[in-house]
Amino acid sequence: PFLARLLKELFEQTRKKGFVYVRVDGEIKELVQGLRVDRYKNHSIEVVVDRLAVTTTTDDDRKRIIDSVSHAMQLGNGLCLVLRTDEDAPHYFSRSLMCPTTGIAYADPAPHSFSFNTPQGWCPCCRGLGIVATGPSGDEELPDEESVIAWLEGKIADPNKPAESEETTAPKSDFRECPECHGQRLRRESLMFRIGDKNIAELASMDLTELRDYLRIVTLNERQQRIAEEIIKEIDKRLAFMESVGLQYLSLNRPSDSLSGGEAQRIRLATQIGSRLVNVLYILDEPSIGLHQRDNERLIRSLKELRDMSNTIIVVEHDEQMMRSADYIVDIGPKAGRLGGKILFQGKPEDMLRTDTLTADYLNGKRTMPKSAKRKGDGNTLVLSGCCGNNLQHVTAEFPLGCFIVVTGVSGSGKSTLINKTLHPILSQRFYRSLRQPLPYDRCFVRTADGEEVDFARIIDKVVAVDQSPIGRTPRSNPATYTGVFSDIRALFAELPESKIRGWKQGRFSFNTKGGRCDECGGNGYKTIEMRFLPDVYVPCEVCGGQRYNRETLEARFKGKNIADVLDMTINQAVEFFDVQPHILNKIKTLQDVGLGYLKLGQSATTLSGGEAQRVKLATELARPSTGKTLYILDEPTTGLHFEDIRVLLGVMQKLVDKGNTIIVIEHNLDVIHAADHLIDLGPEGGRDGGLIVASGTPQQVKRSKQSRTAPFL
């Protein structure tokens, strides 16, 4: 009834405006009083503005047509149609972008039309995500942010967890490429606009070098050239800035959460170079992370260019090349933690070489790094063939087992694709039933010393990826809990006479369970004050004073120290304190062996750097019984490490290999490369010009390669 009244009013208002005919569902009808249509159907209704027979092209006819078209355009908000009596299909005319066949019209393009973060640009099917969720019923549904994160986390297996636990981390929904935009994230009409033969999504998927080349050769007509000339110049200039800091292998659509800290920092640096600001103080923390030595030279040139524009740059860095290129250097030490915090030298780099600081000793050659042990391996070789993920060009990589293997190559040459995205998922799927899919490859097997091809699971019993991700995401996690030594310490306290008299078990000394912990702060040692528009503030608990435990629990003492005192010890102090408790000493001694003696046993995991977290994981592996058949994978383990820390780390890794294990390290640090038993060098360049194995063998053999970009620095 409501629709019927609405249509009746519409017809009546149109008739009162002087119109005589309407076109309803393709049929011309006279606008008589009480005109009705079927109220249970959807209808297409157009107003007939004029009907005329054009026999001549007189001025009167031309004026009438112009007036009628203008009137129709006004009524139709820029759209009108013309119907000839001898044709069935109307002809559409529009002031907007319109298809003359179907009559579909689009709004004029604007910048937000090409953004997948706005309703005007995003694909209506996936809302700019590029993926859709398939629920338990098989129906497609729009994934929310939390489910996407859960999916990503569910795809990544934890090699230290039992296989059956991984099944619980995967959400019930499955995700696949959006069928509407095919992962390009924009609505269909936005993807119709092209520069040359490429739409914006295709341009954004190119690496920066490829994009610059394309914009230089794209064919434009004279009008397009006038419009695009200055814009293309500006785009080229900005891309050049990014190339100058070694980011030529990235694409513009690369997700920001997949960038390393060094890559994100260099993007910001490129922005600053392009801004041409002067008298600015820039502070950079480890900008050389993930950079090959050749790209490092580019970065240093960019920093000097920024300096020459009357700016000041302060760089926190361990890279030797960066130190030697500095105008002024400050050396802090002498050791880490409570044994550091002093300025040992400040002045010119050449003057520092004449001092006796630990840094100077490595720069002037007084101290050196261990060289390659030149192991031949156990005779077995892990073969990974036909790898073609991302920019890899159907490469076959051979990893001699029982060796210290380093994978090198310029930034973007395919190192992470080969190891982290192909080899590691293959092994994780086999050993832990991981849900993470490897990138395309043909075969993965072990070739024995006598040439026989066997299943790799017969030779390798597990794979362990030791990365720089946090050992815990809450302040409750710490080195003691991660390594498992805290359970031994709590068991020791539970065996004290005072604990037995009171009937205390091991759980009494946990700050995660009720009974022994401080009830006021819940065992955190602090209280969280939530700030509405600022980050949360943490203040020490006024009851326990930050010790986490209640007064009664702290009365139990071992050698004069309570459980809170033990957590407050540095690892160096703990090694001395537990010198006659071998089950505890073994685990904390490995933490000391990897150079973490300055950390506290109870130091919050959220305060550890990536390098520190990685060494805690290494120490945990060292403390476990070795099978001699483990494959370890490390990605840039020297990030954030001083020369002395690298020496200690190399010693730890060599110990693991000496036990018969295999270590594969992705690394640019020359000291680590020199210490390798076997090198695999990818390149020759990054992005589309990379993806090949250009050299492999011992460091001495790779040094002689003419194609290798690493060879000149060896």
Side-chain angles (χ1 to χ4, degrees), residues 581-591 593 622-624:
Q581 277 75 39
H583 56 294
I584 295 177
L585 180 64
N586 179 48
K587 293 179 180 178
I588 56 178
K589 187 69 170 66
T590 56
L591 288 168
D593 291 342
L622 274 175
R624 290 175 178 161

Side-chain angles (χ1 to χ4, degrees), residues 423-549:
L423 177 62
H424 183 217
I426 292 170
L427 301 180
S428 293
Q429 279 190 338
R430 182 61 178 275
F431 296 127
Y432 312 114
R433 288 187 290 171
S434 168
L435 299 176
R436 186 181 178 192
Q437 293 296 322
L439 293 179
Y441 73 102
D442 290 339
R443 298 179 63 206
C444 183
F445 60 92
V446 166
R447 186 174 60 240
T448 62
D450 56 7
E452 183 185 0
E453 295 182 2
V454 299
D455 184 3
F456 62 77
R458 288 175 53 184
I459 310 298
I460 303 169
D461 64 359
K462 65 176 178 177
V463 59
V464 177
V466 186
D467 58 20
Q468 295 201 3
S469 61
I471 60 173
R473 300 191 180 277
T474 68
R476 290 181 180 271
S477 299
N478 55 54
T481 58
Y482 185 86
T483 58
V485 73
F486 192 45
S487 297
D488 298 326
I489 293 172
R490 290 189 292 115
L492 175 64
F493 271 84
E495 291 296 317
L496 296 175
E498 188 171 355
S499 299
K500 289 188 174 182
I501 291 171
R502 299 188 181 190
W504 290 348
K505 303 296 183 184
Q506 189 172 333
R508 177 78 188 190
F509 300 95
S510 170
F511 48 74
N512 289 321
T513 58
K514 293 181 179 180
R517 71 183 184 187
C518 171
D519 292 330
E520 182 69 21
C521 63
N524 286 320
Y526 61 87
K527 284 190 171 181
T528 304
I529 300 176
E530 294 184 1
M531 310 293 286
R532 189 176 295 274
F533 300 110
L534 295 170
D536 293 344
V537 175
Y538 302 98
V539 296
C541 173
E542 63 272 13
V543 175
C544 66
Q547 292 188 305
R548 296 183 162 194
Y549 296 93

